[in-house]
């Protein structure tokens, strides 16, 4: 008999654009700890909807690094690239509600508007090529309460404009795919990096437009170097050492504002994670970017 589905369902959703870097490890550990603390499930989803940016084999590499860090998905791993029919169905529902429209505007068409799509299209209908599909941004503010960042509100019409949910090249946009998958997978809690905070109001809008529940959100602080700069690409891209993941896990724990002494003497990944899960206190997570010494000890 199937066990009753747990109340808490969290997820970690990496894009296979390279190896798991330290900033992503913090998001993985953070979402894992929230799920374990709630006695819930932790599910990995691969967000592979942008082939030009993807690296062959990066999905398996990321999963192997997570496994070396003691974290494996509680359910089979979902690949967004195999779920286009679900996204197409959602787009059809939006179209039926007149919430989306086809758009042939190019990036350069939108330049005079600061990249924000104006109320009416600049480019004319062009039957010779596929359009992108855009969602109408509402005239009112979209707001939600974040467990770490507090109240977040955004005027989508002013700050973002009508945004793309299906690209002209046929691929579905991240915003739509994430909303469809979170609902289909019954995700109750989204714990991820604050770099995605700006995307959340768009996702909340899509949830409402599709009649889907809005999960709870917790956006983790970004990891920065000692001078307060976002970790440089080269530095943050330093791979986690799978043969010795303990330093990276300790650094991730500290990036989440948790006390080092709890796990300092843990001699294995399993012991470290058990101690961390037992002592994890979400209210210690800071709101602002955290300067962290990178696990490799490289000087920033
Ligand atoms: Zn347009």
């Amino acid at each position: 008999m199937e066990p009753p589905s747990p109340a808490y369902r969290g997820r970690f959703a990496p894009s296979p654009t390279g190896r798991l870097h330290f900033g992503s490890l913090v998001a993985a550990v953070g979402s894992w700890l929230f799920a374990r603390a709630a006695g819930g499930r932790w599910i990995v989803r691969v967000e592979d909807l942008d082939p030009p940016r993807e690296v062959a084999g990066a999905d398996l590499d990321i999963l192997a690094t997570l496994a070396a860090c003691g974290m494996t998905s509680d359910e089979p791993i979902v690949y967004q690239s195999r779920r286009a029919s679900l996204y197409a169905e959602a787009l059809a529902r939006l179209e039926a509600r007149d919430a989306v429209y086809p758009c042939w505007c190019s990036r350069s068409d939108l330049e005079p508007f600061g990249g924000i799509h104006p109320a009416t299209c600049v480019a004319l209908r062009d039957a010779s090529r596929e359009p992108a599909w855009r969602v109408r941004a509402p005239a009112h503010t979209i707001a939600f309460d974040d467990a770490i960042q507090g109240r977040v509100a955004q005027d989508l019409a002013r700050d973002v404009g009508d945004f793309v949910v299906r690209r002209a090249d046929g691929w579905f946009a991240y915003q739509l795919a994430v909303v469809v998958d979170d609902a289909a997978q019954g995700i109750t809690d989204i714990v991820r990096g604050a770099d995605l905070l700006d995307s959340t109001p768009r996702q909340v809008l899509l949830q409402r437009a599709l009649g889907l529940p809005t999960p709870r959100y917790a956006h983790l602080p970004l990891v920065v170097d000692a001078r307060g700069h976002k970790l440089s690409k080269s530095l943050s891209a330093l791979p986690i050492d799978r043969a010795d993941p303990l330093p990276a896990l300790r650094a991730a724990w500290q990036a989440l504002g948790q006390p080092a002494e709890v796990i300092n003497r843990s001699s294995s990944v399993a012991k470290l994670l058990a101690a961390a899960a037992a002592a994890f206190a979400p209210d210690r997570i800071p709101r602002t970017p955290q300067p962290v010494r990178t696990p490799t000890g490289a000087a920033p």
Side-chain angles (χ1 to χ4, degrees):
M1 211 172 77
E2 279 282 300
S5 60
Y8 184 111
R9 292 173 63 82
R11 45 70 153 192
F12 174 62
S15 295
T17 54
R19 308 184 81 169
L20 189 77
H21 61 69
F22 182 66
S24 297
L25 179 70
V26 172
V29 172
S31 60
W32 187 90
L33 285 169
F34 267 95
R36 287 296 172 264
R41 291 201 170 208
W42 185 75
I43 301 158
V44 176
R45 176 169 76 223
V46 175
E47 302 202 325
D48 52 345
L49 286 181
D50 198 2
R53 291 185 55 232
E54 286 158 20
V55 175
D59 57 331
L60 298 179
D61 192 81
I62 289 169
L63 296 172
T65 302
L66 290 173
C69 291
M71 297 178 286
T72 51
S73 182
D74 292 329
E75 293 179 10
I77 291 165
V78 160
Y79 283 76
Q80 288 190 322
S81 59
R82 299 170 195 169
R83 296 163 69 83
S85 61
L86 278 178
Y87 311 144
E89 196 181 286
L91 180 63
R93 277 159 61 201
L94 292 172
E95 200 183 348
R97 294 178 182 198
D98 197 31
V100 291
Y101 60 89
C103 163
W104 283 266
C105 298
S106 67
R107 208 174 280 260
S108 58
D109 287 333
L110 302 182
E111 253 170 40
F113 306 93
I116 293 177
H117 193 280
T120 45
C121 276
V122 182
L124 299 174
R125 177 174 289 268
D126 176 357
S128 71
R129 59 190 177 95
E130 285 294 312
W133 285 83
R134 286 184 189 272
V135 170
R136 297 179 208 283
H140 57 87
T141 296
I142 299 277
F144 65 98
D145 292 304
D146 188 273
I148 297 166
Q149 307 296 330
R151 186 86 171 155
V152 176
Q154 192 176 41
D155 180 338
L156 284 178
R158 186 194 65 199
D159 298 345
V160 179
D162 296 353
F163 57 94
V164 171
V165 285
R166 187 174 192 240
R167 303 185 332 205
D169 64 9
W171 287 85
F172 288 92
Y174 163 75
Q175 309 292 357
L176 180 66
V178 160
V179 163
V180 169
D181 286 335
D182 285 334
Q185 294 187 281
I187 301 298
T188 60
D189 290 78
I190 295 176
V191 179
R192 60 187 180 186
D195 51 332
L196 287 164
L197 197 55
D198 269 359
S199 287
T200 309
R202 272 171 275 179
Q203 292 168 21
V204 171
L205 172 72
L206 288 172
Q207 288 152 4
R208 292 176 187 171
L210 289 164
L212 302 172
T214 290
R216 288 181 289 263
Y217 287 98
H219 284 85
L220 304 169
L222 294 183
V223 180
V224 294
D225 68 21
R227 286 170 297 184
H229 300 144
K230 196 173 171 181
L231 292 185
S232 69
K233 199 157 179 111
S234 57
L235 197 61
S236 62
L238 287 173
I240 311 295
D241 183 357
R242 289 210 283 261
D244 181 20
L246 290 178
L249 284 168
R250 290 195 184 106
W253 174 251
Q254 282 183 265
L256 294 167
Q258 309 295 311
E261 60 273 16
V262 171
I263 56 164
N264 261 351
R265 276 176 292 173
S266 301
S267 56
S268 71
V269 167
K271 284 177 184 165
L272 185 151
L273 289 181
F280 179 59
D283 55 4
R284 288 201 196 102
I285 299 175
R287 197 166 167 171
T288 50
Q290 288 308 293
V292 172
R293 210 159 33 85
T294 52
T296 54

